[in-house]
Amino acid sequence: MTTTEAGAGAPSSGDRATDIVTDHDRGIHGYHHQKQEHLKRLRRIEGQIRGLQRMVDEDVYCIDILTQVSASTKALQSFALQLLEEHLRHCVADAAVKGGDEIDAKVKEATQAIARMLRT
């Protein structure tokens, strides 16, 4: 996360949230620096799913298909966990720097995402 003081050297307005400009303000998400690796990983997962379709089409034994389903599910869960970590390090940390209501909203958002992941 990169932060710069807006108007460095100028008198502060006293509102810290308006003085700080972060990557998040510039539309850069937590996964931005790992984007190509994430896309590569998602393409591998997509290949696993296509493999499942092919297995069903070829009447492969049920347990073999279920094994592949489990591997695909674990791959998606692992991807989701990495994305969550990046969200916490970037978006939630950004909100913490700014303070105020934004941090509460980001923590609530992250907590809800974790709850959704746990339900699966």
Side-chain angles (χ1 to χ4, degrees):
M1 173 177 51
T2 305
T3 59
T4 57
E5 294 294 329
S12 175
S13 65
D15 185 2
R16 185 169 164 80
T18 59
D19 292 345
I20 298 172
V21 178
T22 63
D23 283 348
H24 199 264
D25 295 324
R26 295 180 187 100
I28 298 173
H29 298 290
Y31 60 85
H32 175 75
H33 299 293
Q34 304 297 326
K35 187 174 181 177
Q36 292 309 312
E37 291 86 357
H38 287 323
L39 289 171
K40 187 176 177 181
R41 193 172 188 182
L42 287 169
R43 286 185 195 104
R44 277 197 309 268
I45 294 168
E46 180 182 21
Q48 288 179 298
I49 303 304
R50 287 188 180 156
L52 282 167
Q53 293 171 336
R54 194 170 29 258
M55 291 172 83
V56 170
D57 187 49
E58 295 171 0
D59 295 317
V60 172
Y61 183 58
C62 309
I63 297 302
D64 294 337
I65 296 171
L66 288 170
T67 300
Q68 184 63 28
V69 167
S70 178
S72 301
T73 300
K74 293 290 183 195
L76 272 174
Q77 289 172 339
S78 176
F79 173 75
L81 189 57
Q82 178 67 37
L83 203 60
L84 177 62
E85 180 181 349
E86 291 167 357
H87 176 71
L88 293 171
R89 289 185 185 276
H90 185 268
C91 303
V92 176
D94 173 77
V97 167
K98 291 180 175 181
D101 293 337
E102 191 168 349
I103 183 63
D104 293 333
K106 289 295 180 186
V107 168
K108 182 178 179 182
E109 180 182 63
T111 302
Q112 289 171 339
I114 293 166
R116 284 190 301 272
M117 287 174 61
L118 291 175
R119 280 195 294 257
T120 60

